[in-house]
Amino acid sequence: MHFKAGAAVALIVLSLASFCICDISLTVNSHDVGLKLNESETFLILTGSNFTSVNDTLHIIIQHTDIVSINLTSIELNWLGPNESVPIEIKALGLGRTDIYSNTSNTLANVDEVYFRVTVHREPWLDIFSTTIGWIYFLAWSVSFYPQVYINWKRRSVIGLNFDFLALNIAGFILYSIFNLGLYYIPEIKKEYSERYPRGLNPVQVNDIFFAVHAVILTSVTIGQCVLYERAEQRVSTTARIILGFFGVFIAISIVLSGCDVIHWIDFLYYCSYVKLTITLIKYIPQAFMNYRRQSTSGWSIGNILLDFTGGTLSMLQMILNAYNYDDWASIFGDPTKFGLGLFSVAFDIFFMIQHYVLYKHSKYEEN
């Protein structure tokens, strides 16, 4: 009896050991695929060194068959052994983005890693050009905060800088940061965006996040200067406080509705972006009116305006290039804040340049 019990235990141990070294999972040599229109490229579906043949069929499925085609749609897994590779040719038929994913007939094999994220563009150099433009406008927009900080520091005064503008600005950039961080980093929201715009690319890029967070930091520094330096009787107006209070209540209600699953979290992010866009529409008005009332742009940095104009123009150009290259015009509507931010910023920048260089060019301007 003891011998039989020992043999049974040994058999169980050997079976477990054999099971542990078995591997019925597959993967691919690259998940991200970038193709030019009408171009084709071969990728590999791979088995591991301990792969064990299994009586199952791997089915390969294309999300959008008008964007890409493949040379095989199924693989019999009982034909495969360890360290084998199966070539799959992906051909670009149309512009845009699509996923290629897989499943199995009997769900015996693990195919979670067998998928491709495919983007098809017109010209690869447009991608490089778009990325370059993105970093240039990021630098221009980011550096645009420093001339005002420098002027304030050199004058030891913030007289001429409107406090309503700063209050609206900090609120807007905080909301813009929330929008960018949520849409770029939170998997559930990224999935919601993909379901809502299945052919679109995520419109938020790394430089958008850097810009938004950097803007919050530098605007906070400028607000700190308003506390430390000469400011005369300047303060945040009652009108601006009411507007910010209204926005605060709106955002709070949106959070509650999202938390109660009345609306999707991606909708909450869009509401944040819409408030940011609204703030962009109105935040320059107090400063423009202050310049008009004083008949001077003294204390308001024209360097800030010139850099902001450059950044806004390049931001819109980048979005248009990406939409053209991927035939993805929905990405502009998928991120209305980014395009609207550039458009309205450029419009107001032109107005400020007219004030500085035309209307009040003979007034004293204390930049130096």
Side-chain angles (χ1 to χ4, degrees):
M1 289 292 294
H2 292 295
F3 175 77
K4 289 182 178 180
V9 170
L11 181 62
I12 292 173
V13 171
L14 289 173
S15 298
L16 289 173
S18 175
F19 176 77
C20 290
I21 63 174
C22 292
D23 180 9
I24 51 175
S25 61
L26 298 95
T27 186
V28 297
N29 63 329
S30 177
H31 290 300
D32 294 303
V33 178
L35 297 173
K36 185 178 177 180
L37 186 62
N38 299 321
E39 180 183 45
S40 61
E41 191 170 343
T42 300
F43 295 85
L44 301 176
I45 297 176
L46 306 170
T47 65
S49 57
N50 297 316
F51 181 83
T52 302
S53 296
V54 60
N55 188 23
D56 205 345
T57 302
L58 176 71
H59 301 284
I60 306 171
I61 303 159
I62 303 173
Q63 183 185 21
H64 299 299
T65 55
D66 58 333
I67 294 179
V68 298
S69 65
I70 53 178
N71 64 326
L72 75 167
T73 57
S74 63
I75 301 172
E76 297 299 327
L77 299 183
N78 58 351
W79 295 352
L80 301 180
N83 294 322
E84 286 198 38
S85 61
V86 178
I88 176 171
E89 183 184 54
I90 303 175
K91 183 175 181 179
L93 303 178
L95 299 170
R97 176 189 179 278
T98 187
D99 292 329
I100 298 176
Y101 55 96
S102 63
N103 58 34
T104 55
S105 301
N106 301 321
T107 67
L108 297 175
N110 180 2
V111 296
D112 291 345
E113 292 299 311
V114 182
Y115 66 89
F116 302 95
R117 295 180 291 256
V118 186
T119 54
V120 181
H121 49 248
R122 295 181 194 273
E123 296 291 344
W125 68 265
L126 282 176
D127 269 343
I128 300 173
F129 187 45
S130 173
T131 301
T132 303
I133 287 176
W135 283 107
I136 292 175
Y137 90 69
F138 158 69
L139 290 174
W141 262 351
S142 298
V143 173
S144 71
F145 293 92
Y146 289 93
Q148 188 67 59
V149 172
Y150 173 74
I151 289 174
N152 296 343
W153 171 79
K154 190 169 184 179
R155 297 168 69 233
R156 296 297 192 273
S157 171
V158 292
I159 295 176
L161 176 60
N162 189 273
F163 285 15
D164 288 0
F165 166 76
L166 289 177
L168 292 167
N169 218 21
I170 188 68
F173 281 126
I174 288 173
L175 293 175
Y176 191 43
S177 297
I178 292 172
F179 174 83
N180 285 334
L181 290 169
L183 197 54
Y184 191 84
Y185 284 113
I186 300 178
E188 292 81 6
I189 295 177
K190 291 167 65 177
K191 181 180 178 182
E192 287 180 6
Y193 182 88
S194 179
E195 291 172 351
R196 191 167 296 188
Y197 301 101
R199 293 172 180 260
L201 301 173
N202 191 325
V204 177
Q205 301 183 17
V206 175
N207 51 355
D208 297 316
I209 296 172
F210 286 162
F211 164 71
V213 175
H214 178 267
V216 171
I217 294 172
L218 265 292
T219 305
S220 299
V221 170
T222 308
I223 291 173
Q225 289 181 317
C226 294
V227 176
L228 297 174
Y229 297 153
E230 179 188 7
R231 59 183 182 275
E233 300 299 322
Q234 294 180 165
R235 64 181 182 85
V236 179
S237 71
T238 301
T239 301
R241 293 172 189 267
I242 293 173
I243 292 173
L244 290 172
F246 173 79
F247 288 150
V249 171
F250 175 75
I251 293 298
I253 292 174
S254 300
I255 292 175
V256 173
L257 293 177
S258 300
C260 296
D261 293 328
V262 177
I263 62 174
H264 296 289
W265 280 107
I266 192 173
D267 292 317
F268 164 71
L269 291 187
Y270 276 126
Y271 295 160
C272 289
S273 73
Y274 297 150
V275 172
K276 165 57 181 170
L277 182 57
T278 303
I279 288 176
T280 301
L281 279 169
I282 65 176
K283 72 177 183 179
Y284 293 107
I285 296 175
Q287 184 67 57
F289 180 72
M290 186 177 188
N291 294 344
Y292 163 75
R293 190 179 60 198
R294 298 169 69 233
Q295 297 292 291
S296 172
T297 54
S298 175
W300 173 247
S301 171
I302 192 62
N304 170 19
I305 297 305
L306 295 175
L307 289 166
D308 191 63
F309 176 80
T310 301
T313 303
L314 293 179
S315 171
M316 292 186 293
L317 177 60
Q318 184 196 49
M319 293 194 74
I320 292 171
L321 282 176
N322 288 343
Y324 169 76
N325 201 24
Y326 293 98
D327 195 22
D328 182 25
W329 299 99
S331 64
I332 293 180
F333 303 105
D335 188 0
T337 299
K338 184 177 178 182
F339 192 81
L341 180 65
L343 181 63
F344 292 117
S345 293
V346 165
F348 273 105
D349 289 337
I350 292 173
F351 180 75
F352 281 120
M353 285 187 280
I354 292 173
Q355 279 191 322
H356 180 72
Y357 291 114
V358 180
L359 299 178
Y360 313 134
K361 65 179 180 179
H362 298 300
S363 64
K364 184 179 179 182
Y365 185 68
E366 301 175 4
E367 183 173 11
N368 299 317

